[in-house]
Amino acid sequence: MSWTTPEDHPDPTLARRFGARLRGRWGRPLYALRSTPSTQTVLHRLAADGAPEGTVVVADHQTRGRGRYGRSWVASPGKALLASILLRPARSPPRLGEIGLAAAVAAADALETTAGVAVRIKWPNDLLVGSKKVAGILAEAALEGAGGGYVALGVGINVSQGPEEFSSELRGRATSLALAGGRPVGREALLAALLAELEARYRTLSTEGFPPIREAWLARAVLGQRVVYGGGEGVAVDLAPDGGLIVRNGDGRLTTIVSGEVG
Ligand code: BTN
């Protein structure tokens, strides 16, 4: 099976540029595209064909980038790090929520060490600088495939967009590392740092379980905002031992939610 469709445009030069900076095991193999509908779609195709853990797909541009809750993820060509990483957790079904939270901690560390910005995490895995979103994470699981079950972890990081590159609707809520006053950082160095941090946090999750990830997540958490969820609304107060969000309702009752919109 080919890993591309006519809508995918592989770019060997881009692959060499990204590949040259990698230090760990992850990112081998690495596939790079000038343009694709979504790096997630390409990674799912590779995974179904038996690609190994640590396979990475990056792109300069996505025509149908996906966000959480079926939303789209839009970024100007060449200005964002758009990456999908293949994980093959031993546990089946994988604990997708815990993996997403571990990835948020890893990405926050990578942004801070490379760009020098202070990053906080909004449940479950939105990365904020101040009150604006600079990066998002999408974890998609599949239970079957040539190599068994897997998780496609998609990470989108706004790197060098200017204000005019965000729609008027997004401008108040989204930012880039450049706009947030970060040190100039290339997407290649950012991917290398992200993969190194991810590999380490994912290993911790596999060997020690969720508690150390929960601690690291809480150290960066934004809590206290309004949360709207299926059963009502309340205020985010804590992270549950299973990665759910503990919400205090208007009547003081605590509820743990697994999905919902944090304000
Ligand atoms: C979110 O915050 O809603 C998650 C956004 C995830 C976006 C990334 S960009 C690379 C990868 N490919 C996609 O289509 N989506 C993820």
Side-chain angles (χ1 to χ4, degrees):
M1 200 216 307
S2 165
W3 65 281
T4 56
T5 69
E7 285 186 286
D8 297 309
H9 302 281
D11 184 336
T13 309
L14 195 65
R16 271 194 298 278
R17 265 187 21 218
F18 274 102
R21 298 298 291 263
L22 303 182
R23 311 187 282 266
R25 279 183 312 124
W26 286 13
R28 295 163 217 284
L30 179 135
Y31 299 83
L33 302 113
R34 179 167 49 76
S35 176
T36 178
S38 161
T39 57
Q40 289 291 94
T41 308
V42 176
L43 191 76
H44 280 295
R45 216 178 289 133
L46 289 162
D49 217 20
E53 180 160 86
T55 297
V56 170
V57 178
V58 291
D60 257 350
H61 180 51
Q62 299 183 127
T63 52
R64 291 196 290 281
R66 296 204 288 274
R68 292 171 58 241
Y69 299 126
R71 296 188 183 122
S72 57
W73 179 268
V74 180
S76 313
K79 302 283 176 89
L81 177 63
L82 309 168
S84 293
I85 301 118
L86 178 58
L87 310 178
R88 293 196 178 276
R91 186 190 288 272
S92 182
R95 293 199 179 148
L96 208 52
E98 294 181 0
I99 290 174
L101 295 162
V105 171
D109 287 348
L111 293 194
E112 246 176 54
T113 51
T114 56
V117 290
V119 178
R120 303 188 66 205
I121 306 173
K122 186 175 87 168
W123 188 83
N125 38 37
D126 281 354
L127 269 52
L128 310 184
V129 179
S131 60
K132 293 187 180 180
K133 180 162 165 173
V134 73
I137 289 166
L138 173 69
E140 298 175 322
L143 298 179
E144 304 282 340
Y150 65 85
V151 172
L153 188 68
V155 183
I157 302 173
N158 294 328
V159 178
S160 54
Q161 291 100 324
E164 71 290 348
E165 284 166 289
F166 292 103
S167 66
S168 51
E169 190 241 326
L170 267 184
R171 212 163 291 155
R173 293 185 287 119
T175 191
S176 66
L177 291 175
L179 282 172
R183 281 193 296 270
V185 52
R187 291 176 304 158
E188 298 83 354
L190 200 50
L191 179 69
L194 173 69
L195 293 180
E197 298 287 354
L198 262 180
E199 204 176 334
R201 294 288 182 181
Y202 178 63
R203 195 176 323 116
T204 300
L205 187 60
S206 316
T207 55
E208 296 171 47
F210 187 58
I213 302 295
R214 177 173 176 272
E215 287 306 309
W217 189 95
L218 279 170
R220 290 192 178 276
V222 187
L223 294 170
Q225 331 86 310
R226 181 168 165 267
V227 183
V228 178
Y229 60 96
E233 65 177 84
V235 171
V237 291
D238 200 357
L239 187 66
D242 66 353
L245 184 67
I246 303 180
V247 173
R248 188 187 309 282
N249 297 315
D251 59 8
R253 252 181 331 110
L254 295 180
T255 314
T256 299
I257 62 166
V258 294
S259 97
E261 189 71 42
V262 182

